[in-house]
Amino acid sequence: MSKFWSPFVKDLVPYVPGEQPKLAKLVKLNTNENPYGPSPKAIAAMQAELGDNLRLYPDPNGERLKQAVADYYGVTPAQVFVGNGSDEVLAHAFHGLFQHGRPLLFPDISYSFYPVYCGLYGIPFEAVALDEQFQIRVEDYARPNGGIVFPNPNAPTGCLLPLTAIERLLEANPDSVVLVDEAYVDFGGETAISLVDKYPNLLVTQTLSKSRSLAGLRVGLAVGHPELIEALERIKNSFNSYPLDRLAIAGAAAAFADREYFAKTCQAVIASREAVVAGLQQLGFEVLPSAANFVFARHPQRDAAELAAQLREQGVIVRHFKQARIAQFLRISIGAPEQNQALLDALQGL
Ligand SMILES: Cc1ncc(COP(=O)(O)O)c(C=O)c1O
């Protein structure tokens, strides 16, 4: 703390990202990155962009990327917003769409950035308890609110809410924005983007960090009614009008266009997930049903924090949250087959 800090900064409780270790040899299964590289076409598009043009500012609106996303989902570019990672897109949504004085609702077990943004933007919130099976109960959201946000599949549980339930939520809350954070949807969910023409209060966010393996590029997006998108544009243009650089726009657009590589790598992750679930169950773990590129598992006889520490000694890092209800769970990202095997071998020896 310093005397130069404003009282606002003193009171902030920032988000703590998963560890990015400096040791190269670790089996890194703690931040849900994709074990396969980005599309070779995305790499080529970025390489083609590397040159004299970098002296020029990028397109502030990232039109090329908006068009690629619009083509992929069959929407118009006016329904698409792009930003520097979905974290930034979420921040703008919180700032521009959730500050209504009424509490924002999100699950008690959910993405831990949501309460951080509430703190940053002064948004009151209520954490709504998931049920005993860690599922969202739509009925529990039938209360006055200034908005609703949840990841689907949820993080860190991996559990999926079906589109029919999302429609019930949208219909019950016509006067607030329902934000579906689809960071992991490509690994087993169905996107709610198909509903944006029907529900003007629906905003869907996605990221290229997971299923398109571009966490290092920092690209996220939102799809929704043009008026919701305009709110995000107004915030963005009051904060940083060039959030995506030239490489990011080119690489992300090419990644969206390469459907074949995307489908192949998602399928490989899904197949590995099923193998990891089976392996963990054989070792006595209970594993929540996952539609994501990670699994959430607990061992009835073993302490999760201790397991995480012991795994680390064996060179395998997974994520453990010191949080009520989930303190006995480990969140384990799905890696390449040899990494998954290293995890199972390490657990076997503990
Ligand atoms: C649920 C959820 N939403 C959003 C994000 C942010 O992703 P990014 O900022 O890399 O797009 C993450 C990252 O882990 C996440 O788990």
Side-chain angles (χ1 to χ4, degrees):
M1 194 178 311
S2 144
K3 67 175 181 181
F4 299 114
W5 288 15
S6 66
F8 175 73
V9 168
K10 279 183 203 149
D11 290 342
L12 280 182
V13 185
Y15 176 73
V16 183
E19 182 189 354
Q20 293 295 345
K22 304 286 178 285
L23 294 169
K25 284 191 85 181
L26 287 176
V27 175
K28 190 175 175 306
L29 302 176
N30 67 331
T31 48
N32 302 338
E33 287 136 336
N34 196 316
Y36 304 106
S39 152
K41 291 183 180 160
I43 307 269
M46 288 186 272
Q47 277 165 341
E49 200 62 30
L50 260 184
D52 184 59
N53 266 357
L54 285 180
R55 70 193 174 77
L56 302 172
Y57 281 104
D59 171 6
N61 293 318
E63 294 295 346
R64 188 169 153 198
L65 175 55
K66 285 186 179 179
Q67 189 62 56
V69 174
D71 290 346
Y72 186 86
Y73 283 117
V75 296
T76 65
Q79 291 172 293
V80 180
F81 178 80
V82 292
N84 188 255
S86 59
D87 280 340
E88 186 187 74
V89 178
L90 287 167
H92 292 343
F94 274 59
H95 204 175
L97 300 169
F98 289 153
Q99 264 178 333
H100 296 290
R102 298 183 302 281
L104 177 69
L105 306 181
F106 50 79
D108 62 338
I109 313 294
S110 183
Y111 186 33
S112 44
F113 225 135
Y114 300 158
V116 174
Y117 286 139
C118 286
L120 180 61
Y121 297 120
I123 301 168
F125 68 90
E126 284 172 19
V128 182
L130 294 175
D131 72 12
E132 289 302 303
Q133 276 72 49
F134 295 97
Q135 303 290 332
I136 290 173
R137 253 190 323 241
V138 167
E139 309 77 76
D140 295 345
Y141 290 75
R143 56 171 109 168
N145 65 73
I148 296 172
V149 58
F150 59 94
N152 199 40
N154 198 2
T157 64
C159 299
L160 188 72
L161 188 69
L163 280 194
T164 47
I166 293 177
E167 281 212 74
R168 280 195 282 128
L169 201 57
L170 287 160
E171 272 157 15
N173 293 278
D175 296 324
S176 13
V177 169
V178 175
L179 196 169
V180 185
D181 172 356
E182 294 187 346
Y184 302 102
V185 76
D186 298 316
F187 300 107
E190 197 185 341
T191 178
I193 290 177
S194 56
L195 301 175
V196 295
D197 284 335
K198 195 167 163 196
Y199 298 98
N201 58 330
L202 169 63
L203 189 72
V204 178
T205 57
Q206 291 193 354
T207 175
L208 281 81
S209 299
K210 316 293 179 179
S211 55
R212 289 185 175 80
S213 197
L214 285 167
L217 199 63
R218 309 304 301 129
V219 185
L221 59 102
V223 181
H225 191 283
E227 281 178 8
L228 299 186
I229 299 304
E230 197 186 328
L232 304 182
E233 299 287 0
R234 288 171 70 100
I235 300 263
K236 170 222 154 211
N237 288 321
S238 309
F239 176 70
N240 173 11
S241 40
Y242 303 102
L244 291 186
D245 60 50
R246 286 176 171 272
L247 303 185
I249 293 170
F256 257 95
D258 192 352
R259 296 178 189 220
E260 203 181 314
Y261 183 84
F262 167 73
K264 196 173 72 182
T265 48
C266 285
Q267 275 315 316
V269 171
I270 292 168
S272 291
R273 178 182 70 215
E274 300 319 313
V276 170
V277 170
L280 288 171
Q281 284 170 338
Q282 261 186 357
L283 293 170
F285 282 86
E286 295 164 14
V287 189
L288 296 189
S290 172
N293 67 339
F294 58 85
V295 293
F296 206 46
R298 71 176 150 198
H299 195 288
Q301 280 97 41
R302 306 292 299 266
D303 180 70
E306 266 173 39
L307 274 180
Q310 289 169 330
L311 278 175
R312 200 173 202 297
E313 280 167 22
Q314 309 275 318
V316 179
I317 32 181
V318 300
R319 189 106 194 241
H320 172 254
F321 298 90
K322 279 191 208 119
Q323 192 189 330
R325 294 188 76 187
I326 56 167
Q328 287 310 329
F329 279 87
L330 295 176
R331 192 196 68 187
I332 305 169
S333 308
I334 303 302
E338 61 278 12
Q339 295 178 301
N340 302 331
Q341 197 53 52
L343 163 87
L344 294 172
D345 290 347
L347 283 171
Q348 176 95 57
L350 293 180

Coordinates of all heavy atoms in Angstrom, one line a residue, residues 15 31-32 84-88 90 110-111 113-114 150-155 181-184 205-210 214-215 218-221 294 331, ligand 1:
Y15 N -8.5 -10.2 -9.1 CA -8.6 -11.6 -9.5 C -7.1 -12.2 -9.4 O -6.2 -11.5 -9.7 CB -9.1 -11.7 -10.9 CG -9.1 -13.1 -11.5 CD1 -10.1 -14.1 -11.1 CD2 -8.2 -13.5 -12.5 CE1 -10.1 -15.3 -11.7 CE2 -8.2 -14.7 -13.1 CZ -9.2 -15.6 -12.7 OH -9.2 -16.9 -13.2
T31 N -4.8 -24.3 -16.1 CA -5.5 -23.1 -16.6 C -6.3 -23.4 -17.8 O -6.6 -22.4 -18.6 CB -4.5 -21.9 -16.8 OG1 -3.4 -22.4 -17.6 CG2 -4.0 -21.3 -15.5
N32 N -6.6 -24.6 -18.1 CA -7.5 -25.0 -19.2 C -7.1 -24.5 -20.5 O -7.9 -24.1 -21.4 CB -9.0 -24.5 -18.9 CG -9.5 -25.0 -17.6 OD1 -9.0 -26.0 -17.1 ND2 -10.5 -24.3 -17.0
N84 N -10.2 -7.8 -26.2 CA -8.9 -8.4 -25.7 C -9.1 -9.5 -24.7 O -9.0 -9.3 -23.5 CB -8.0 -7.2 -25.2 CG -6.6 -7.7 -24.9 OD1 -6.3 -7.8 -23.7 ND2 -5.9 -7.8 -25.9
G85 N -9.5 -10.7 -25.2 CA -9.8 -11.8 -24.3 C -11.3 -11.6 -23.8 O -11.8 -10.5 -23.8
S86 N -11.9 -12.7 -23.5 CA -13.3 -12.6 -23.1 C -13.4 -11.9 -21.7 O -14.4 -11.3 -21.3 CB -14.1 -13.9 -23.1 OG -13.5 -14.8 -22.3
D87 N -12.3 -11.9 -20.9 CA -12.3 -11.2 -19.7 C -12.6 -9.7 -19.9 O -13.3 -9.1 -19.2 CB -10.9 -11.3 -19.0 CG -10.8 -12.6 -18.2 OD1 -11.8 -13.2 -17.9 OD2 -9.6 -13.0 -17.9
E88 N -11.9 -9.1 -21.0 CA -12.2 -7.7 -21.3 C -13.7 -7.5 -21.7 O -14.3 -6.5 -21.4 CB -11.2 -7.2 -22.3 CG -11.4 -5.7 -22.5 CD -10.6 -5.2 -23.7 OE1 -11.0 -5.4 -24.9 OE2 -9.6 -4.5 -23.4
L90 N -16.2 -9.3 -20.9 CA -17.0 -9.4 -19.7 C -17.0 -8.1 -18.9 O -18.0 -7.7 -18.5 CB -16.6 -10.6 -18.8 CG -16.8 -12.0 -19.4 CD1 -16.0 -13.0 -18.6 CD2 -18.3 -12.3 -19.3
S110 N -18.7 -20.5 -9.3 CA -18.7 -20.0 -10.7 C -17.3 -19.3 -11.0 O -16.4 -19.5 -10.2 CB -19.8 -19.0 -10.8 OG -19.9 -18.4 -12.0
Y111 N -17.3 -18.6 -12.1 CA -16.0 -18.0 -12.5 C -15.7 -16.9 -11.5 O -16.4 -15.9 -11.3 CB -16.2 -17.4 -13.9 CG -14.9 -16.8 -14.5 CD1 -13.6 -17.4 -14.2 CD2 -15.0 -15.8 -15.4 CE1 -12.5 -16.9 -14.8 CE2 -13.8 -15.3 -16.0 CZ -12.6 -15.8 -15.7 OH -11.4 -15.3 -16.2
F113 N -13.9 -14.4 -11.5 CA -13.7 -13.0 -11.9 C -15.0 -12.2 -11.7 O -15.0 -11.0 -11.6 CB -13.3 -12.9 -13.4 CG -12.2 -12.0 -13.6 CD1 -11.1 -12.3 -14.4 CD2 -12.2 -10.7 -13.0 CE1 -10.0 -11.4 -14.6 CE2 -11.2 -9.8 -13.3 CZ -10.1 -10.1 -14.1
Y114 N -16.2 -12.9 -11.7 CA -17.4 -12.1 -11.6 C -17.5 -11.2 -10.4 O -17.8 -10.0 -10.5 CB -18.7 -13.0 -11.6 CG -18.8 -13.9 -12.9 CD1 -19.6 -15.1 -12.8 CD2 -18.2 -13.5 -14.1 CE1 -19.7 -15.9 -14.0 CE2 -18.3 -14.3 -15.2 CZ -19.1 -15.5 -15.1 OH -19.2 -16.3 -16.3
F150 N -23.6 -16.4 -16.0 CA -23.1 -17.7 -15.6 C -22.3 -18.3 -16.7 O -22.6 -18.0 -17.9 CB -24.2 -18.7 -15.1 CG -25.3 -18.9 -16.2 CD1 -25.2 -20.0 -17.1 CD2 -26.3 -18.0 -16.4 CE1 -26.1 -20.2 -18.1 CE2 -27.3 -18.2 -17.4 CZ -27.1 -19.3 -18.2
P151 N -21.3 -19.1 -16.4 CA -20.6 -19.8 -17.5 C -21.4 -21.0 -17.9 O -22.0 -21.7 -17.1 CB -19.3 -20.2 -16.9 CG -19.2 -19.5 -15.5 CD -20.6 -19.3 -15.1
N152 N -21.4 -21.3 -19.2 CA -22.1 -22.5 -19.6 C -21.3 -23.2 -20.7 O -21.1 -22.7 -21.8 CB -23.5 -22.3 -20.2 CG -24.3 -23.5 -20.2 OD1 -24.3 -24.3 -19.3 ND2 -25.1 -23.7 -21.3
P153 N -20.7 -24.4 -20.4 CA -20.6 -25.1 -19.2 C -20.0 -24.2 -18.0 O -19.2 -23.4 -18.3 CB -19.7 -26.3 -19.4 CG -19.4 -26.3 -20.9 CD -19.8 -25.0 -21.5
N154 N -20.5 -24.6 -16.8 CA -20.0 -23.8 -15.7 C -18.6 -24.0 -15.4 O -18.0 -25.1 -15.7 CB -20.9 -24.1 -14.4 CG -20.8 -23.1 -13.3 OD1 -20.1 -22.0 -13.5 ND2 -21.4 -23.3 -12.2
A155 N -17.9 -23.1 -14.8 CA -16.5 -23.2 -14.4 C -16.5 -22.9 -12.9 O -17.2 -21.9 -12.5 CB -15.6 -22.2 -15.1
D181 N -21.7 -17.0 -20.5 CA -20.3 -17.0 -20.7 C -19.9 -18.4 -21.3 O -19.7 -19.3 -20.5 CB -19.6 -16.7 -19.4 CG -18.1 -16.8 -19.4 OD1 -17.5 -17.2 -20.4 OD2 -17.5 -16.4 -18.4
E182 N -19.7 -18.5 -22.6 CA -19.5 -19.8 -23.2 C -18.0 -20.0 -23.5 O -17.6 -20.5 -24.6 CB -20.3 -19.9 -24.5 CG -21.8 -19.9 -24.3 CD -22.6 -20.1 -25.6 OE1 -22.0 -20.0 -26.7 OE2 -23.8 -20.4 -25.5
A183 N -17.2 -19.8 -22.5 CA -15.7 -20.0 -22.7 C -15.4 -21.4 -23.1 O -14.5 -21.7 -23.8 CB -15.0 -19.6 -21.4
Y184 N -16.3 -22.4 -22.6 CA -15.9 -23.8 -22.8 C -17.0 -24.5 -23.7 O -17.0 -25.8 -23.8 CB -15.8 -24.5 -21.5 CG -14.8 -23.9 -20.6 CD1 -15.1 -23.0 -19.6 CD2 -13.4 -24.1 -20.8 CE1 -14.1 -22.4 -18.8 CE2 -12.4 -23.5 -20.1 CZ -12.8 -22.6 -19.1 OH -11.8 -22.0 -18.3
T205 N -21.0 -14.6 -24.6 CA -19.6 -14.3 -24.8 C -18.8 -15.6 -25.0 O -19.2 -16.7 -24.6 CB -18.9 -13.6 -23.5 OG1 -19.1 -14.4 -22.4 CG2 -19.5 -12.3 -23.3
Q206 N -17.8 -15.5 -25.8 CA -16.9 -16.7 -26.1 C -15.5 -16.2 -26.1 O -15.2 -15.0 -26.2 CB -17.3 -17.3 -27.5 CG -18.6 -18.0 -27.4 CD -18.8 -18.9 -28.7 OE1 -18.0 -18.9 -29.6 NE2 -20.0 -19.6 -28.7
T207 N -14.6 -17.2 -26.1 CA -13.1 -16.8 -26.1 C -12.4 -17.7 -27.2 O -12.9 -18.8 -27.5 CB -12.5 -17.1 -24.8 OG1 -11.1 -16.9 -24.9 CG2 -12.7 -18.5 -24.3
L208 N -11.3 -17.2 -27.7 CA -10.5 -18.1 -28.6 C -9.4 -18.7 -27.8 O -8.5 -19.4 -28.3 CB -9.9 -17.2 -29.7 CG -10.9 -17.0 -30.9 CD1 -11.9 -15.9 -30.6 CD2 -10.2 -16.8 -32.2
S209 N -9.4 -18.5 -26.4 CA -8.3 -19.1 -25.6 C -8.4 -20.6 -25.4 O -7.3 -21.2 -25.1 CB -8.4 -18.4 -24.2 OG -8.2 -17.0 -24.3
K210 N -9.5 -21.2 -25.5 CA -9.7 -22.6 -25.2 C -9.8 -23.4 -26.5 O -8.9 -24.1 -26.9 CB -10.9 -22.8 -24.3 CG -11.0 -21.7 -23.2 CD -10.0 -21.8 -22.1 CE -10.1 -20.7 -21.1 NZ -9.1 -20.8 -20.0
L214 N -5.8 -20.2 -28.6 CA -5.1 -18.9 -28.7 C -5.1 -18.1 -27.5 O -5.2 -16.9 -27.5 CB -5.8 -18.1 -29.9 CG -5.5 -18.6 -31.3 CD1 -6.4 -18.0 -32.3 CD2 -4.0 -18.4 -31.7
A215 N -4.9 -18.8 -26.3 CA -4.9 -18.0 -25.0 C -3.8 -16.9 -25.0 O -4.0 -15.9 -24.5 CB -4.6 -19.0 -23.9
R218 N -5.0 -13.4 -26.8 CA -6.0 -12.6 -26.1 C -7.1 -12.1 -27.0 O -7.2 -10.9 -27.4 CB -5.4 -11.4 -25.4 CG -4.2 -11.7 -24.5 CD -4.5 -12.7 -23.4 NE -5.6 -12.3 -22.5 CZ -6.6 -13.1 -22.3 NH1 -6.8 -14.3 -22.8 NH2 -7.6 -12.7 -21.5
V219 N -8.0 -13.0 -27.4 CA -9.2 -12.6 -28.2 C -10.4 -13.2 -27.6 O -10.5 -14.4 -27.4 CB -9.0 -13.0 -29.7 CG1 -10.2 -12.4 -30.5 CG2 -7.7 -12.5 -30.2
G220 N -11.4 -12.3 -27.4 CA -12.8 -12.8 -27.0 C -13.8 -12.1 -27.8 O -13.5 -11.1 -28.5
L221 N -15.1 -12.5 -27.6 CA -16.1 -11.9 -28.4 C -17.5 -12.0 -27.7 O -17.6 -12.8 -26.7 CB -16.2 -12.6 -29.8 CG -16.5 -14.1 -29.8 CD1 -18.0 -14.4 -30.1 CD2 -15.6 -14.8 -30.8
F294 N -11.9 -29.5 -19.1 CA -11.4 -29.9 -17.8 C -12.4 -30.7 -17.0 O -13.5 -30.8 -17.5 CB -11.1 -28.6 -17.0 CG -12.3 -27.7 -16.8 CD1 -13.2 -27.9 -15.7 CD2 -12.6 -26.7 -17.7 CE1 -14.4 -27.2 -15.6 CE2 -13.7 -25.9 -17.5 CZ -14.6 -26.1 -16.5
R331 N -9.6 -29.2 -10.0 CA -9.9 -28.9 -11.3 C -8.7 -29.3 -12.2 O -7.7 -28.7 -12.1 CB -10.3 -27.5 -11.6 CG -11.0 -27.2 -12.9 CD -11.0 -25.8 -13.3 NE -9.7 -25.3 -13.6 CZ -9.4 -24.0 -13.8 NH1 -10.4 -23.1 -13.8 NH2 -8.2 -23.6 -14.1
Ligands
LIG1 C1 -15.7 -19.1 -17.4 C2 -14.6 -18.2 -18.0 N1 -14.9 -17.1 -18.7 C3 -14.0 -16.4 -19.2 C4 -12.6 -16.7 -19.2 C5 -11.6 -15.7 -19.8 O1 -11.0 -16.2 -20.9 P1 -10.1 -15.2 -21.8 O2 -10.0 -13.9 -21.1 O3 -8.8 -15.9 -22.0 O4 -10.9 -15.1 -23.1 C6 -12.2 -17.9 -18.6 C7 -10.8 -18.2 -18.5 O5 -10.4 -19.1 -17.9 C8 -13.2 -18.6 -17.9 O6 -12.9 -19.8 -17.3

